[in-house]
Amino acid sequence: MENETTGRYSIEDFIKNTGEKDLGQGGFELERDRLLEVNLNGMVWTKRGSMVAYTGDIKFIREGILEHGLGKLVKKSLTGEGVILTKAEGQGKLYLADEGKKVSVLKLENESIFVNGNDLLAFEDSISWDIRMMKKVAGMMAGGLFNVKLEGTGMIAITTHYDPLTLRVTAEHPVFTDPNATVAWSGDLEPEIKTDVSLKTFVGRSSGESVQMAFKGKGFVVIQPYEEVYFQAQT
């Protein structure tokens, strides 16, 4: 048992307390809040570099250049290959994580959602996807702001720094967000990009302008309490 003064475990108790548990949640299980378990029997798409362990007979194949058609290849070249996926095929248990970020699992039922390209961890093969890019911010953020539209029926996993917060968008109450803190939004929303030189928080730091995403209509927006300024870091 754990020693109350030192916080140490015996090996047997450590294994018992930290070991993998069958949660019975289906294809995607939150084994820990920062670790996704995929009960694989077929194929899923995963963010490249997100595999931390697996058991069983699983093969990993980076997506082919023309696998999703010429249109997506062109978009990937514009976004600097911002969305790089790996196929995981076979049978077994696959464990995924992304820099210790918190994982959330969503089930789409003939629905659609936009996810920031850096925050997409995995999705089932039954989900169709496409890359979208907000060209207006391309001059302010290195590579622009790209996201992925996922639609259909199946499971997806997204990641956030710390706990996500979901804000409802209505016609009476639009929502304005910092692009670097925006993780996902409902598929029927089309955010507008607006700039404001009066705000103190600058995206792109050297641009002298603050970039905001304006969500109007009906839906939801997922944000995180963290500004992910990885766009500038890639330049």
Side-chain angles (χ1 to χ4, degrees):
M1 299 295 294
E2 180 184 3
N3 184 310
E4 293 182 0
T5 59
T6 65
R8 295 177 180 173
Y9 293 89
S10 69
I11 291 295
E12 182 178 348
D13 286 332
F14 180 76
I15 293 172
K16 183 183 299 183
N17 280 277
T18 64
E20 182 265 345
K21 298 175 178 63
D22 186 1
L23 303 175
Q25 297 174 344
F28 282 16
E29 294 188 1
L30 281 178
E31 186 62 36
R32 300 289 189 276
D33 63 353
R34 301 173 191 275
L35 193 65
L36 176 69
E37 176 186 300
V38 179
N39 294 305
L40 186 61
N41 184 18
M43 191 268 276
V44 296
W45 289 102
T46 68
K47 182 177 183 178
R48 189 177 73 171
S50 63
M51 187 277 288
V52 293
Y54 70 91
T55 64
D57 183 15
I58 300 177
K59 294 181 179 179
F60 300 91
I61 306 170
R62 180 173 170 173
E63 58 180 327
I65 290 179
L66 294 176
E67 182 152 353
H68 303 290
L70 185 59
K72 284 183 183 174
L73 174 64
V74 172
K75 291 177 185 177
K76 288 173 76 66
S77 66
L78 288 173
T79 59
E81 278 204 314
V83 183
I84 305 178
L85 301 173
T86 297
K87 278 185 190 178
E89 293 183 290
Q91 292 183 322
K93 291 183 180 292
L94 172 61
Y95 300 92
L96 305 175
D98 185 13
E99 298 182 346
K101 293 166 67 177
K102 188 161 187 175
V103 181
S104 297
V105 175
L106 307 174
K107 184 174 183 181
L108 301 187
E109 296 280 2
N110 196 25
E111 297 166 296
S112 62
I113 187 172
F114 286 92
V115 180
N116 184 296
N118 195 55
D119 301 321
L120 180 60
L121 182 64
F123 57 94
E124 293 185 309
D125 191 38
S126 58
I127 300 292
S128 61
W129 64 280
D130 195 12
I131 296 173
R132 302 292 177 87
M133 184 176 180
M134 297 182 182
K135 297 179 181 178
K136 187 174 180 179
V137 297
M140 304 171 190
M141 306 171 77
L145 179 62
F146 65 90
N147 47 73
V148 183
K149 185 175 186 180
L150 303 153
E151 53 189 335
T153 298
M155 308 292 286
I156 70 171
I158 64 175
T159 58
T160 56
H161 288 277
Y162 312 105
D163 293 329
L165 174 66
T166 301
L167 303 173
R168 290 284 186 181
V169 180
T170 66
E172 297 78 19
H173 297 93
V175 174
F176 303 88
T177 66
D178 181 333
N180 285 323
T182 307
V183 175
W185 58 93
S186 47
D188 51 355
L189 290 180
E190 291 288 344
E192 301 173 5
I193 299 296
K194 58 180 295 188
T195 58
D196 188 338
V197 296
S198 66
L199 293 184
K200 294 180 180 179
T201 301
F202 298 132
V203 174
R205 276 31 181 201
S206 62
S207 68
E209 291 184 328
S210 173
V211 181
Q212 303 166 41
M213 296 175 74
F215 294 90
K216 302 175 182 179
K218 185 178 181 180
F220 63 87
V221 182
V222 182
I223 60 172
Q224 61 183 358
Y226 185 93
E227 287 185 89
E228 220 165 359
V229 198
Y230 51 86
F231 300 101
Q232 291 82 6
Q234 292 178 350
T235 58

